[in-house]
Amino acid sequence: MAFHPPAPTPPGLWRRTPPAIFPSIMGLFGLGIAWRRGIAVFGLPDGLSEAILGATTLLFLFAAMAYAVKLMRRPTVLAEDLRILPGRAGVGTAVLCIYLLAMTVTPYDAASARAILMAGLAVHSIFVLVLIYVLATGPAPQRRVTPVWHLNFVGYIIAALAAVGLGYEAMALILFGLSALMAAFIWAVSIEQFVREDVPAPLRPLLAIHLAPVALLGLVAKGLGMEAVTMGCAGIAGLIVLWMLARLRWLTESGFSALWGAFTFPIAATASLWLVLGGAWRWPGLALLTVATIVIPAIAFKVVQAWAKGQLAVKTNAAIA
C-alpha cells in the first residue's frame, strides 16, 4: 500500500487552531481563583491573583477568537475535533472557561458576570447536544466512558460555583444535584474499567481529571452551607491527591504532552477547596497552592509554546478548517 502524507494546511490564519490549548488555560483560571482563596485566608495583598486572572483572561479571549475563526471558516470542523479525545477535552474546557471568566468578573461587575454565566450555559448546552450527536453517530469505541466525560457532562458544576457567587442558590442546587449524579456514574464506570484493564501510558494524565469534580462539588457544597458534604469531598480529594503522588512516575511515564494540561485545573480546584475550608485544612491548601503555582504555569508555557511553533495541532491531530 502506498504511503499518503497528510494533506497540508491550506493558507489562511488559524485554520488548524488546536483545542488542546484550552485545558492549560482552564488551569490558569483555576490558579488565579485559588490565589483569591489563599489571599482571603491569609490576608495577603490581592495583586497576584488579579494579575494571573487578568493575563489568563486575555490569553483565553485570544485563543477563543482563534478557534472561533476556525469554526467560521467551516462550522462542521467542530464535529471533526470532537471525534478525537484531545479535541473533546479541549473544546469541553474552552466552554468551561466561560464559567471561570464569569467568576473572574464577578467582583468587578456582577451584571456582566451574570450575562457571561447565562451565555456559558447556552454554549455548554449546545456543545453537549453536538457531542451527543457525534458520539451517537460515530464508531462504538468513541462512546467509551473516559475521564474527559467529566469535562463534557459534569462541567455544569462550575456553572453552579459561579451561580453561588452571584446569589443564584436555587440554580446552583439543581446543577449540583445533576452534576453529582453524572459524576458518580462516570466514577463507577471508570473504576470498573481501571480494575479490568490497564490504562495506556499516553492517556494516564487524563486520570487526574477525576479529582476535579470532587473538589468542585465540595466548593459548591460549601457555598450552599452543606458542611458535611464539603468535609467529605475534602477528605476524598486528599486520598486522590495522595494516590496521584504515589503513582506520579506511572502517571507521567510517557513524558510530556498536551494531555498534561489535565493535571492543572484539578490541583488548583483542590487547593481552593482546602483553603476555603480553613482551619487545619488551610495548610495543605497552601502547600498545594504552592505546587500549583509552580506546575500550572510551567505546563501552560510549554503548551502555548507548542501552539506558537505549530506543533500542538500536529501532535494532537487537530482538525483543519
Side-chain angles (χ1 to χ4, degrees), residues 5 10 89 115 163 168 252 256 259 290 293:
Y168 295 148
T252 59
F256 181 82
L259 294 184
T290 303
T293 304

Side-chain angles (χ1 to χ4, degrees), residues 1-311:
M1 182 181 294
F3 172 73
H4 299 284
T9 303
L13 190 63
W14 297 327
R15 285 186 177 273
R16 203 179 186 185
T17 303
I21 188 65
F22 290 104
S24 296
I25 295 176
M26 184 178 177
L28 290 170
F29 268 124
L31 178 63
I33 291 169
W35 264 101
R36 272 186 181 170
R37 313 284 191 189
I39 286 166
V41 170
F42 291 99
L44 301 174
D46 60 2
L48 180 58
S49 64
E50 302 315 298
I52 294 171
L53 290 170
T56 303
T57 296
L58 293 176
L59 178 60
F60 168 62
L61 293 176
F62 177 77
M65 178 180 65
Y67 195 73
V69 169
K70 175 178 171 177
L71 291 181
M72 286 188 290
R73 289 185 183 277
R74 186 166 63 85
T76 55
V77 79
L78 174 61
E80 295 174 20
D81 273 331
L82 294 181
R83 291 192 183 104
I84 58 174
L85 198 58
R88 289 197 292 275
V91 178
T93 50
V95 173
L96 300 185
C97 281
I98 301 174
Y99 300 140
L100 294 167
L101 179 60
M103 293 175 63
T104 298
V105 171
T106 295
Y108 300 99
D109 187 345
S112 296
R114 292 188 188 98
I116 294 169
L117 172 60
M118 297 307 169
L121 287 167
V123 171
H124 193 176
S125 298
I126 293 169
F127 162 73
V128 168
L129 291 175
V130 173
L131 177 60
I132 290 173
Y133 172 79
V134 170
L135 294 176
T137 57
Q142 283 187 1
R143 296 190 287 275
R144 176 185 173 87
V145 175
T146 71
V148 172
W149 278 40
H150 284 301
L151 301 172
N152 302 150
F153 300 111
V154 187
Y156 287 104
I157 192 62
I158 305 182
L161 189 57
V164 168
L166 290 166
Y168 295 148
E169 293 190 358
M171 177 196 294
L173 185 59
I174 293 170
L175 293 173
F176 174 87
L178 294 174
S179 299
L181 289 173
M182 191 63 193
F185 166 76
I186 295 170
W187 285 323
V189 174
S190 297
I191 290 171
E192 190 271 336
Q193 291 174 345
F194 187 76
V195 170
R196 187 163 40 88
E197 57 196 57
D198 191 26
V199 180
L203 300 182
R204 290 172 191 166
L206 295 177
L207 294 173
I209 297 173
H210 287 300
L211 174 62
V214 181
L216 291 165
L217 288 168
L219 284 165
V220 175
K222 178 68 174 176
L224 294 174
M226 295 185 281
E227 296 295 334
V229 176
T230 305
M231 290 295 295
C233 289
I236 294 170
L239 293 175
I240 297 174
V241 169
L242 289 174
W243 179 85
M244 288 173 59
L245 288 173
R247 304 296 301 273
L248 187 59
R249 180 174 296 183
W250 179 79
L251 287 169
T252 59
E253 183 180 345
S254 65
F256 181 82
S257 73
L259 294 184
W260 279 36
F263 290 121
T264 60
F265 185 77
I267 62 175
T270 303
S272 284
L273 173 60
W274 291 346
L275 288 165
V276 164
L277 270 176
W281 284 101
R282 64 179 181 162
W283 299 112
L286 179 61
L288 193 57
L289 178 59
T290 303
V291 172
T293 304
I294 298 170
V295 170
I296 293 175
I299 292 174
F301 176 79
K302 294 194 72 170
V303 172
V304 171
Q305 185 181 54
W307 180 28
K309 292 180 177 180
Q311 299 169 349

